[in-house]
Amino acid sequence: IRYTVARPARGEIIDRNGVALAENGTRPQAGVIPNTLGTGALRTTKIALIANALGITPSFVESQLAQSWVTDESFVPLKTMPTLDKPVIDGVVYQDVASRVYPYADIAARLIGYVGKVTAEDIEKNSALSSNDIIGRTGLERTFDDRLRGTKGGEIYIETAKGEKRETIATVEAVDGETIQLTIDTFLQRSAYESLGTGVGSTVVTEPTTGDILAAVSKPSFNPNLFVTGISQSQYAIYN
């Protein structure tokens, strides 16, 4: 008896005009192919340069290369990039991977928040979660997490000794997360953010006849894309 899990697409967060503030997209993932690294001192030097350029440690690169599934021709992922840039680094190649993307970054970060991988503590609190799930960590991503996350599906089936599917026992379709539409106007959100300049403060713009919140800005802010891909200790220290 085998089973597969079908993961739903996370719902997007859009403004009053349909402009995406949190969406599902792709990012470049930096990695290496072992047989291009050379041997001996050359390999050690190249790994050190790659680690420095990506903001990781040589020991982490070595640990990734030492995984049991890695062959000389394997693509070994090292880091998902926080932006769409693919800097040229000797020995590094890129492939696109699915990722949560925040197109307006700092401008809406305090409002939208960001997502992250679940922890053991999260699973203890919610048994419906599993180790590969993504949940909202802050902001509206967290507030609306249940609606955005959707419902998993999957299939239970019988497999033969040769690894072939013989019969499906049960199938449940995954239900994608809900798209959440806000009253926010991204044009006003950007204007309010830029109007604060280098100051420290907040701005809220409302529509007096309806009570709709058109902009909600706070500075200092941060780039939520960095948290999705795994923020470095140095950048986290700067934000703190």
Side-chain angles (χ1 to χ4, degrees), residues 119-140:
T119 64
E121 184 179 353
D122 294 322
I123 296 174
E124 285 181 8
K125 294 178 181 178
N126 185 350
S127 60
L129 298 174
S130 59
S131 58
N132 292 321
D133 286 346
I134 298 295
I135 60 173
R137 286 291 176 207
T138 64
L140 295 180

Side-chain angles (χ1 to χ4, degrees), residues 127-208:
S127 60
L129 298 174
S130 59
S131 58
N132 292 321
D133 286 346
I134 298 295
I135 60 173
R137 286 291 176 207
T138 64
L140 295 180
E141 286 276 32
R142 179 176 180 177
T143 300
F144 294 121
D145 186 62
D146 288 343
R147 293 166 62 183
L148 290 166
R149 198 167 65 241
T151 306
K152 297 175 189 174
E155 180 183 16
I156 302 173
Y157 61 94
I158 299 173
E159 185 177 270
T160 68
K162 295 181 179 180
E164 299 170 346
K165 185 190 295 185
R166 190 176 77 184
E167 181 181 353
T168 297
I169 298 172
T171 301
V172 175
E173 295 294 329
V175 179
D176 289 341
E178 179 184 343
T179 294
I180 303 293
Q181 185 165 27
L182 311 178
T183 60
I184 294 295
D185 183 313
T186 301
F187 175 79
L188 289 177
Q189 181 79 9
R190 179 191 290 276
S191 297
Y193 181 84
E194 293 176 346
S195 294
L196 284 172
T198 58
V200 174
S202 60
T203 301
V204 176
V205 181
T206 62
E207 168 56 58

